[in-house]
Amino acid sequence: MARISEAEVRETALLARLQLSDEEVARMTVELDAILGYMETLGKLDVADVPPTTHAVPMELRLRADEPGPHLPPQEALADAPRRQDDYFEVPKIIEVGE
């Protein structure tokens, strides 16, 4: 049984703003189904005694203190802005895609 349909691939492509041909949709359906199948296999593994990690090898991170530092005055920060309104960047309005 397929874990992902062509309709779901098309919807995912739409959300990702990708334009896929029918051949690409068919190929992606097969490839994504294989990936989801592999994830199912991984989900069946017993990892109860495996400690959680963030990296495959031990790492020691040297973190600096999170303290505010010098900042640019608004006029300098906005000097190269293509559009601005007062002391703010002006950006295009985000429009939802219709259903």
Side-chain angles (χ1 to χ4, degrees):
M1 181 176 162
R3 288 168 278 274
I4 190 166
S5 67
E6 284 193 4
E8 290 170 317
V9 171
R10 290 181 192 283
E11 178 68 18
T12 303
L14 176 69
L15 293 172
R17 305 293 193 259
L18 298 174
Q19 186 175 6
L20 301 178
S21 67
D22 291 340
E23 294 80 22
E24 289 171 319
V25 169
R27 190 184 83 229
M28 288 288 124
T29 302
V30 171
E31 290 178 5
L32 290 171
D33 187 67
I35 291 169
L36 292 173
Y38 184 68
M39 297 308 292
E40 279 182 7
T41 302
L42 291 176
K44 293 176 186 175
L45 293 175
D46 180 16
V47 293
D49 295 329
V50 178
T53 60
T54 57
H55 294 82
V57 295
M59 295 183 73
E60 184 178 325
L61 300 177
R62 295 187 182 115
L63 302 176
R64 62 174 171 77
D66 188 13
E67 298 174 1
H71 60 277
L72 294 173
Q75 294 301 324
E76 192 175 336
L78 295 167
D80 293 327
R83 294 184 358 216
R84 60 186 278 188
Q85 184 175 7
D86 301 322
D87 287 342
Y88 302 98
F89 291 97
E90 187 177 336
V91 296
K93 181 178 179 179
I94 304 298
I95 300 173
E96 293 288 329
V97 175
E99 294 288 324

